[in-house]
């Protein structure tokens, strides 16, 4: 009888143990396969999701496929023979449970794609990808297409039957690993940032062995987490600052999307002490489990991690019953004294709930949705607030880099006029025309106990030092047809169960003078973890919420 797939807790433990096997491109498979026992010669069925498969780099470019059983004391076994000179760098499993591997450039067949037998480890050559080094490969969990990153070339899509590849997004530089999110719409990529360094070899079609080395130790340079958006064909940074700043200078070797949509990172130190960390791709918060240090003995044969992978999740159904999609009110509390300048600019709290496909947002503040007119004379005029009006920015929703925004404040400085939901948004800063702070660092230095609700100050989500660059209002976007946008009054929200006093755990007398909100029909992409935020247009105050919207 097949075993049950690993639980989320077992999976984390398995990966934790797995990353101590550095040099290994690790993957976990979905489904069952057949093995032959030596005693009887009879094939038995094992659940391949119970195993981790990998490839160990021995010496410079010798490759050994391995199989790890996390439910049997993490038993590690060689899978097939050692492949001298193959320089296998990337591993993943297709939706039909086929194991694929790809080569780097330290071989006479650089950038080649192979299929590996999951029982014998036998490699079957498929052919050259046309690129000299493949840093990582990942099958899309929805449509089954194979994607890879070619060093100093960019993002490619590979035909797994022929290895013929096409360039999707050209980009130079070194990238360690990549993996699809569970919806198959965002591809995460981890990059080593070498600045203006350019590799002297043409990595597009020059298929010779590279005699060149990277200019610095990977552990001594910053890393950045990127997200490729299929819908927009763009690659954007998720975490603007160094994502390894909280864990010191360690080389990031592998990323893997977990079932909860967090990413598992494998870090590797020069003294062979790998570190496991989890990062929230929305907030960029990094968590390092305590008590997980592990010493690798010098005589261990597997001592350098290259990649991580887990079972490909099953596709989600397209419709959900109400008990799955509906949420109660989710509240976030801001500091009640962190607005600078006018007390009218104070934001107290925000609440969000989902009912079916309808998202309802409520805001408590000292001004209404229309903002504030008739500013004091000392704030109005050229180089100040020319129109005498300061309002709220648009409300931005960020689902792992897929951003949309709601234009809810008539009269603000957004480039759009119709109220409602916009996708494919380009965001802009409007602080300068509202006589606002140049950046969040300046706001923080002037505010009393400043916060942004669920985001502390400082944080890794926003660039604290960027001048007049706050992505807060819509510069361009596509208005969602039939979004059913509806402004809501305080009474209408109360009828929906909103209770800011109870939700923020304060007396009603402590709340702001205005409660208002709106509802709209969400798009299919608005599922999972998200960050949503808005500011006053002068960024004298702001608030953010980090939560999760359910889906099936």
């Amino acid at each position: 009888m097949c075993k049950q797939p690993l639980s989320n807790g077992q999976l984390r433990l398995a990966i934790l143990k797995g990353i101590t096997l550095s040099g290994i491109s690790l993957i976990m498979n979905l489904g069952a396969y057949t093995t032959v026992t030596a005693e009887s010669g009879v094939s038995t069925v094992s659940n391949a999701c119970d195993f981790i498969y990998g490839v160990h780099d021995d010496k410079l470019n010798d490759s050994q496929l391995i199989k790890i059983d996390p439910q049997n004391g993490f038993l590690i076994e060689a899978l097939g023979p050692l492949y001298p000179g193959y320089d296998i760098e990337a591993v993943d499993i297709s939706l039909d449970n086929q194991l694929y591997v790809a080569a780097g450039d330290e071989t006479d067949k650089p950038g080649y794609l192979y299929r590996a037998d999951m029982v014998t480890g036998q490699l079957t050559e498929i052919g050259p990808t046309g690129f000299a080094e493949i840093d990582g490969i990942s099958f899309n969990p929805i449509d089954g297409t194979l994607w890879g990153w070619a060093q100093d070339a960019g993002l490619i899509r590979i035909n797994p039957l022929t290895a013929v590849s096409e360039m999707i997004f050209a980009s130079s530089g070194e990238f360690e690993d990549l993996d699809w999110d569970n919806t198959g719409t965002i591809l995460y990529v981890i990059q080593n940032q070498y600045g203006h360094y350019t590799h002297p070899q043409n990595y597009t079609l020059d298929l010779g062995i590279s005699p060149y080395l990277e200019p610095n130790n990977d552990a001594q340079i910053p890393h950045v987490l990127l997200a490729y958006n299929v819908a927009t064909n763009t690659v954007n940074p998720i975490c603007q600052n160094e994502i390894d700043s909280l864990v010191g200078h360690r080389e990031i070797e592998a990323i893997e999307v977990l079932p909860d949509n967090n990413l598992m990172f494998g870090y590797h130190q020069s003294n062979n002490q790998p570190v496991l960390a989890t990062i929230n791709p929305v907030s960029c918060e990094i968590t390092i489990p305590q008590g997980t240090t592990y010493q690798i003995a010098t005589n261990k044969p597997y001592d350098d991690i290259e990649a991580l992978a887990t079972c490909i999740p099953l596709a989600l159904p397209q419709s959900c019953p109400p008990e799955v999609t509906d949420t109660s009110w989710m509240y976030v509390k801001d500091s009640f004294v962190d607005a600078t300048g006018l007390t009218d600019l104070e934001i107290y709290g925000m609440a969000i709930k989902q009912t079916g496909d309808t998202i309802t947002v409520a805001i408590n503040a000292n001004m209404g949705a229309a903002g504030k007119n008739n500013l004091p004379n000392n704030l109005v005029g050229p180089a100040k607030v020319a129109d005498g009006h300061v309002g709220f920015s648009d409300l931005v929703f960020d689902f792992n880099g897929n951003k949309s925004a709601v234009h809810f404040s008539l009269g603000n400085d957004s480039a759009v006029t119709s109220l409602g939901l916009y996708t494919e948004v380009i965001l802009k800063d409007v602080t300068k025309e509202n006589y606002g702070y140049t950046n969040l660092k300046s706001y923080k230095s002037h505010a009393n106990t400043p916060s942004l609700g669920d985001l502390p100050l400082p944080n890794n989500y926003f660039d604290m030092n960027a001048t007049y660059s706050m992505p807060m209002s819509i510069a361009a976007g596509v208005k969602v047809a039939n979004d059913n946008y509806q402004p809501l009054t305080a009474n209408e929200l109360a009828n929906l169960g909103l209770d800011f006093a109870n939700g923020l755990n304060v007396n009603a007398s402590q709340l702001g003078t205005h409660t208002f909100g709106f509802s709209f029909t969400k798009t299919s992409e608005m599922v999972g973890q998200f960050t949503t935020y808005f500011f006053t247009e002068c960024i004298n105050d702001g608030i953010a919420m980090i939560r999760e919207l359910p889906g099936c």
Side-chain angles (χ1 to χ4, degrees):
M1 183 176 70
C2 293
K3 300 177 184 178
Q4 293 297 316
L6 294 177
S7 68
N8 202 31
Q10 289 175 308
L11 180 58
R12 288 175 181 269
L13 180 61
I15 296 177
L16 171 59
K17 180 74 176 188
I19 70 165
T20 65
L21 312 171
S22 164
I24 305 171
S25 299
L26 295 176
I27 58 93
M28 295 190 69
N29 177 31
L30 175 67
Y33 69 91
T34 301
T35 60
V36 179
T37 63
E39 294 81 3
S40 63
V42 177
S43 296
T44 61
V45 177
S46 299
N47 189 342
C49 228
D50 287 339
F51 297 97
I52 302 173
Y53 295 86
V55 59
H56 165 64
D57 290 339
D58 188 55
K59 300 176 184 177
L60 174 65
N61 58 359
D62 296 343
S63 301
Q64 174 66 67
L65 296 177
I66 63 169
K67 183 176 73 172
I68 309 163
D69 186 354
Q71 300 193 55
N72 186 22
F74 298 96
L75 177 65
I76 306 167
E77 297 178 299
L79 180 61
L82 180 72
Y83 288 95
Y86 271 65
D87 193 30
I88 301 300
E89 294 285 340
V91 181
D92 204 15
I93 292 179
S94 64
L95 296 186
D96 61 350
N97 302 325
Q98 297 291 318
L99 178 62
Y100 289 80
V101 302
D105 65 334
E106 301 289 347
T107 173
D108 59 358
K109 292 185 176 181
Y112 267 55
L113 183 70
Y114 301 85
R115 187 168 51 252
D117 189 291
M118 298 175 66
V119 178
T120 67
Q122 180 67 42
L123 293 183
T124 300
E125 180 182 306
I126 298 174
T129 61
F131 296 88
E133 179 171 354
I134 305 301
D135 289 327
I137 57 175
S138 180
F139 281 93
N140 185 293
I142 304 302
D143 62 19
T145 52
L146 177 59
W147 299 64
W149 200 283
Q151 174 137 336
D152 279 322
L155 180 64
I156 60 175
R157 187 162 52 212
I158 307 168
N159 186 326
L161 298 179
T162 64
V164 173
S165 304
E166 59 176 319
M167 177 63 66
I168 301 298
F169 190 94
S171 178
S172 60
E174 180 178 0
F175 298 78
E176 288 287 351
D177 198 11
L178 76 169
D179 197 45
W180 282 102
D181 76 341
N182 295 324
T183 68
T185 60
I186 300 293
L187 184 63
Y188 294 109
V189 186
I190 189 72
Q191 180 187 22
N192 294 333
Q193 291 189 307
Y194 282 116
H196 298 292
Y197 168 76
T198 301
H199 202 294
Q201 182 178 9
N202 178 358
Y203 264 74
T204 306
L205 291 174
D206 184 347
L207 300 182
I209 297 178
S210 172
Y212 303 103
L213 299 176
E214 282 77 10
N216 295 299
N217 187 318
D218 287 348
Q220 301 304 315
I221 60 172
H223 301 75
V224 62
L225 179 64
L226 307 173
Y228 169 72
N229 189 309
V230 175
T232 61
N233 192 36
T234 55
V235 176
N236 296 304
I238 293 294
C239 301
Q240 298 287 344
N241 302 324
E242 289 187 30
I243 59 175
D244 52 351
S245 61
L246 298 181
V247 294
H249 287 291
R250 299 186 179 100
E251 181 182 359
I252 300 174
E253 298 258 78
I255 59 173
E256 174 61 22
V257 177
L258 296 174
D260 61 4
N261 285 318
N262 281 325
L263 284 86
M264 192 70 76
F265 275 10
Y267 289 85
H268 179 69
Q269 294 176 314
S270 59
N271 62 351
N272 271 348
Q273 290 180 306
V275 176
L276 177 69
T278 301
I279 185 170
N280 183 315
V282 177
S283 66
C284 296
E285 179 182 3
I286 296 174
T287 302
I288 303 176
Q290 300 300 311
T292 57
T293 57
Y294 182 90
Q295 298 287 344
I296 298 180
T298 56
N299 62 349
K300 288 285 183 181
Y302 313 116
D303 56 10
D304 190 16
I305 281 200
E306 295 297 332
L308 294 169
T310 61
C311 295
I312 297 175
L314 295 175
L316 300 178
Q318 297 302 309
S319 60
C320 303
E323 60 269 21
V324 174
T325 60
D326 291 1
T327 71
S328 57
W329 282 103
M330 300 177 286
Y331 294 89
V332 60
K333 181 181 180 182
D334 192 35
S335 168
F336 285 9
V337 293
D338 63 344
T340 62
L342 304 173
T343 58
D344 304 72
L345 303 177
E346 191 74 68
I347 300 170
Y348 291 80
M350 176 169 57
I352 292 178
K353 71 174 298 186
Q354 175 173 301
T355 306
D357 289 332
T358 298
I359 303 298
T360 304
V361 178
I363 295 167
N364 181 254
N366 274 350
M367 64 180 181
K372 181 173 178 58
N373 290 303
N374 304 317
L375 293 174
N377 290 335
N378 65 319
L379 299 179
V380 180
K384 296 184 178 181
V385 185
D387 61 2
H389 172 270
V390 170
F392 294 110
S393 72
D394 298 318
L395 178 68
V396 178
F397 280 90
D398 182 353
F399 286 83
N400 292 343
N402 189 357
K403 295 182 179 180
S404 55
V406 180
H407 179 51
F408 69 91
S409 181
L410 282 173
N412 72 5
D413 291 316
S414 176
V416 298
T417 56
S418 297
L419 298 179
L421 179 64
Y422 290 77
T423 59
E424 301 180 33
V425 293
I426 299 173
L427 300 172
K428 66 174 182 175
D429 178 275
V430 296
T431 55
K432 192 170 186 179
E433 52 262 55
N434 287 280
Y435 199 34
Y437 290 108
T438 57
N439 53 38
L440 277 178
K441 182 179 180 180
S442 179
Y443 160 70
K444 180 179 181 294
S445 67
H446 288 84
N448 182 24
T449 61
S451 81
L452 294 177
D454 281 342
L455 282 175
L457 285 174
N459 59 71
N460 285 330
Y461 185 80
F462 293 112
D463 189 334
M464 298 289 294
N465 300 303
T467 300
Y468 295 126
S469 299
M470 179 60 64
M472 59 196 299
S473 292
I474 301 172
V478 177
K479 179 70 169 62
V480 176
N482 302 315
D483 64 352
N484 298 308
Y485 178 85
Q486 181 67 44
L488 297 170
T489 66
N491 287 336
E492 290 170 326
L493 290 165
N495 290 335
L496 295 175
L498 177 73
D499 184 351
F500 264 122
N502 185 58
L504 302 183
N505 195 27
V506 298
N507 293 324
S509 61
Q510 296 176 271
L511 293 172
T513 56
H514 292 73
T515 296
F516 63 94
F518 49 87
S519 63
F520 61 91
T521 301
K522 72 173 189 175
T523 65
S524 59
E525 292 79 18
M526 300 178 76
V527 173
Q529 292 178 328
F530 69 91
T531 296
T532 187
Y533 63 87
F534 72 94
F535 293 87
T536 60
E537 291 186 295
C538 47
I539 64 170
N540 286 41
D541 202 2
I543 190 169
M545 174 185 286
I546 302 174
R547 294 291 193 279
E548 184 170 337
L549 290 181
C552 290

